[in-house]
Amino acid sequence: MSKQIKNIPELSLSVQYGTTHALLTRSRLRRWVMAALAAAHTDGLVVFNRAQLGLRIVGQAEGRKMNAAFRHKDYATNVLTFEYGVDPDGTAMGDIILCLPVLVREAREQGKTMLNHAAHLTIHGTLHALGYDHIKAKQAEHMEALETKVLAKMKIDNPYA
């Protein structure tokens, strides 16, 4: 567990690689997750003091299989998140799956750098793992504003613009 610094919740992060990319290092992924945690903690929509998250980078076949099994969609999606809620001791738990080939393809199609798109999807997935959603318009506005704020601090343009 990391030490709690400047009102940032403790984070236990397990990073797994079903496939790899030299730029998606554990330290970079952790930094993006921590930025999302800090923003969510300050935002106060979800009350938690620790986070226990898993983050797995997968290939096309695994991404498609997981999306089919859990969402009944027969294609690989960019990010798939499992939110398990906040337990009685204040630990938010969840798993985030990033499909690398989809992420790379989308970045190219959208004219973004792979790293900027990966940062956005990691932050997006982390917020989902904390209970944020975008099903209703107000929820979407709130979540997107929070993502945009976190990304701006990293000097990454608004992905929704």
Side-chain angles (χ1 to χ4, degrees):
M1 298 250 192
S2 65
K3 287 185 176 180
Q4 196 166 348
I5 303 169
K6 295 182 186 175
N7 204 29
I8 297 175
E10 280 184 35
L11 172 63
S12 173
L13 178 66
S14 170
V15 178
Q16 300 174 355
Y17 292 95
T19 190
T20 60
H21 190 290
L23 296 177
L24 295 180
T25 61
R26 280 179 165 77
S27 62
R28 180 170 275 144
L29 293 165
R30 182 179 186 78
R31 196 166 46 249
W32 294 337
V33 169
M34 287 296 291
L37 283 180
H41 191 65
T42 301
D43 181 57
L45 183 68
V46 179
V47 178
F48 66 101
N49 53 28
R50 282 182 288 292
Q52 186 174 332
L53 302 173
L55 175 60
R56 182 166 173 80
I57 312 297
V58 302
Q60 188 79 24
E62 186 176 352
R64 182 177 183 171
K65 183 178 177 181
M66 294 187 81
N67 204 30
F70 296 101
R71 295 182 60 230
H72 310 292
K73 310 268 185 181
D74 191 26
Y75 58 87
T77 188
N78 54 13
V79 61
L80 184 61
T81 306
F82 301 92
E83 177 214 352
Y84 308 127
V86 179
D87 71 12
D89 77 351
T91 302
M93 295 174 287
D95 288 314
I96 305 154
I97 312 298
L98 292 177
C99 186
L100 184 61
V102 174
L103 185 158
V104 169
R105 185 190 78 237
E106 287 178 347
R108 185 177 54 250
E109 290 171 356
Q110 296 170 20
K112 301 174 181 175
T113 69
M114 189 280 295
L115 278 180
N116 285 0
H117 195 47
H120 174 225
L121 293 179
T122 302
I123 290 162
H124 184 86
T126 301
L127 292 177
H128 272 309
L130 296 173
Y132 287 79
D133 214 333
H134 47 77
I135 294 170
K136 296 179 182 172
K138 276 204 178 271
Q139 292 173 326
E141 265 181 46
H142 187 79
M143 185 173 177
E144 290 172 11
L146 195 55
E147 289 172 42
T148 302
K149 179 180 167 184
V150 173
L151 291 166
K153 287 182 181 179
M154 297 177 188
K155 299 188 183 349
I156 297 174
D157 292 337
N158 180 347
Y160 300 106

